[in-house]
Amino acid sequence: MRIEVIRPEELGEAELRRWRGFQASTPTLANPFLSPEFTLAVGRFRAGARVAVLSDGDGVAGFFPYERHALGIGRPIGAGLTDCQGVIAPSDLEFDVRALLRACRLSVWEFDHLLAEQAAFAPYHAEIRVEPVMDLREGFAAYAEGARLRAPKTIKTVRYKERKLGREAGEVTYTFDETDPAELRRLMVWKSAQYRRTGRTDRFAESWIVALAEHLHATGTGVLSVLRAGDRPISAHLGLRTGTVMAGWFPAYDTEFAKYSPGMIGHLRMAEAAAEAGVTQIAMGRGGREYKDWLKNGEFPIAEGRAARASAAAGLHWVKGAPVRRARSAVLAHPALYARADRVLKTYARLRGMRTGDAA
């Protein structure tokens, strides 16, 4: 196996066709976070973005997109923003993980949303969980009927709130693919406020993430959907799409309309519009949010862990990160712990807001 490491923008047209061919021939690789478009976009804004091109006697055998940080610490491309990671290659490709790390000049490669089916990394799995999906292959009507059977009270309540919203705020309309960049800026304002309100790190305080979202939206890989009532935007969602697969990414809403559950209304509208547009699956990302339990009608396994070579940097990385990873895994694996942690973060955010005079 030959391994050449290049920057994303150095990929040639033949290599990009090969990459897309791997995605088309292996359904589990079809996720937009594994697309060359996502890697190319991240490469525009992240100096450490790289792609290892694996080749054998038959030509290019696979691609390994990653980011290299100080001391040879490696993370998936777009780390912290991606819900699907791995090598883009046929499922039966065999390779030496440590040789791959050596070629990439990595002491460690840590992952948290790795396709668990990728056998080469199996010895490095610390934990396996599942990522929920909305399977739309049978069309929206079939999906909606399944959702009604799984959670009849929930979907009945959402439909009631949508009708109530229409009566009290104006006709409810939905745009699946909104091209106006002003609506994307509105979404980012809402999302930043949500991060602060719930005690999370504000992703959109990072200029490169703002630029990445704007670039993906402008180039069409990012699909911005907007729910309106009486022509007023009340919720929005920026997802990624390649082919027939979408990945949920950044949902947010106007808190003035919170009593109507605009996020839930928006997700059902998104599923309906996506199915009409030829989308057969929406990957919702891992997490303890209860709404995903009744929206999902499928799932796929993902793994968290780290692959490492023997080095001082790898040892230091393990010592520093192991307790945090164990705590995060415990919280994500138990809904009660997740809910408790969520309440603690929200309380902290409120107290911090009181001290700084920011009640958002």
Side-chain angles (χ1 to χ4, degrees):
M1 185 73 67
R2 299 185 307 278
I3 302 173
E4 179 187 9
V5 176
I6 60 175
R7 285 195 53 81
E9 66 267 22
E10 295 173 329
L11 289 162
E13 285 302 319
E15 291 165 323
L16 293 173
R17 285 196 299 272
R18 184 71 164 164
W19 187 321
R20 295 183 182 110
F22 289 145
Q23 285 196 287
S25 61
T26 306
T28 53
L29 295 178
N31 191 289
F33 288 116
L34 299 179
S35 69
E37 288 78 14
F38 183 72
T39 290
L40 289 168
V42 173
R44 293 172 63 93
F45 307 106
R46 301 294 279 171
R50 297 290 186 273
V51 177
V53 182
L54 289 68
S55 302
D56 56 21
D58 296 323
V60 174
F63 300 90
F64 176 60
Y66 66 97
E67 291 185 35
R68 187 179 188 276
H69 298 266
L71 301 178
I73 305 303
R75 296 186 176 89
I77 197 80
L81 300 174
T82 168
D83 290 326
C84 194
Q85 304 153 358
V87 172
I88 294 84
S91 57
D92 59 352
L93 179 68
E94 297 181 359
F95 59 92
D96 185 325
V97 171
R98 287 195 171 92
L100 176 62
L101 297 184
R102 190 178 307 113
C104 296
R105 296 173 51 234
L106 296 178
S107 301
V108 176
W109 185 64
E110 59 178 359
F111 50 87
D112 56 5
H113 290 79
L114 177 72
L115 286 172
E117 69 176 29
Q118 299 199 338
F121 291 106
Y124 307 101
H125 293 175
E127 188 166 355
I128 295 179
R129 285 184 289 275
V130 293
E131 179 163 333
V133 300
M134 302 170 76
D135 187 337
L136 303 171
R137 285 176 296 179
E138 301 300 321
F140 178 74
Y143 167 80
E145 177 60 17
R148 187 187 65 79
L149 293 174
R150 289 189 301 275
K153 291 183 180 179
T154 303
I155 197 165
K156 183 178 180 180
T157 299
V158 173
R159 293 304 194 195
Y160 167 77
K161 288 185 176 181
E162 181 175 354
R163 293 191 297 270
K164 183 178 175 65
L165 174 64
R167 290 193 304 269
E168 297 179 352
E171 181 184 4
V172 178
T173 59
Y174 189 77
T175 303
F176 176 62
D177 192 1
E178 173 62 65
T179 59
D180 187 350
E183 294 302 331
L184 176 60
R185 290 192 291 271
R186 188 198 308 272
L187 165 63
M188 290 190 283
V189 169
W190 285 343
K191 196 66 179 178
S192 289
Q194 178 191 342
Y195 285 136
R196 295 194 302 272
R197 191 170 60 248
T198 56
R200 270 71 171 183
T201 300
D202 182 1
R203 302 286 181 82
F204 293 117
E206 295 281 349
S207 60
W208 78 268
I209 296 178
V210 172
L212 175 66
E214 291 174 341
H215 173 76
L216 287 166
H217 179 232
T219 55
T221 299
V223 178
L224 177 64
S225 302
V226 180
L227 180 74
R228 294 178 172 88
D231 295 328
R232 178 175 174 178
I234 62 168
S235 77
H237 173 267
L238 179 65
L240 302 181
R241 178 185 179 181
T242 51
T244 62
V245 178
M246 277 192 69
W249 207 17
F250 292 115
Y253 61 86
D254 185 341
T255 55
E256 182 181 336
F257 294 87
K259 67 179 181 180
Y260 299 104
S261 300
M264 295 294 289
I265 297 171
H267 269 82
L268 281 179
R269 286 290 191 114
M270 178 174 66
E272 182 176 15
E276 291 177 357
V279 172
T280 59
Q281 183 188 96
I282 300 175
M284 293 188 288
R286 152 190 123 179
R289 293 298 181 186
E290 187 176 323
Y291 75 87
K292 295 179 182 179
D293 288 335
W294 76 267
L295 282 174
K296 73 175 184 180
N297 60 343
E299 56 192 23
F300 63 91
I302 55 172
E304 180 173 346
R306 63 192 291 276
R309 296 189 294 130
S311 68
L316 178 62
H317 177 266
W318 184 88
V319 169
K320 292 175 62 178
V324 175
R325 287 191 294 273
R326 283 196 295 268
R328 183 177 65 242
S329 295
V331 169
L332 289 172
H334 297 86
L337 285 177
Y338 184 94
R340 188 175 302 171
D342 188 52
R343 289 195 298 271
V344 169
L345 284 171
K346 289 178 179 177
T347 300
Y348 169 75
R350 286 196 297 271
L351 293 173
R352 184 179 60 185
M354 291 171 62
R355 288 198 302 271
T356 62
D358 178 9

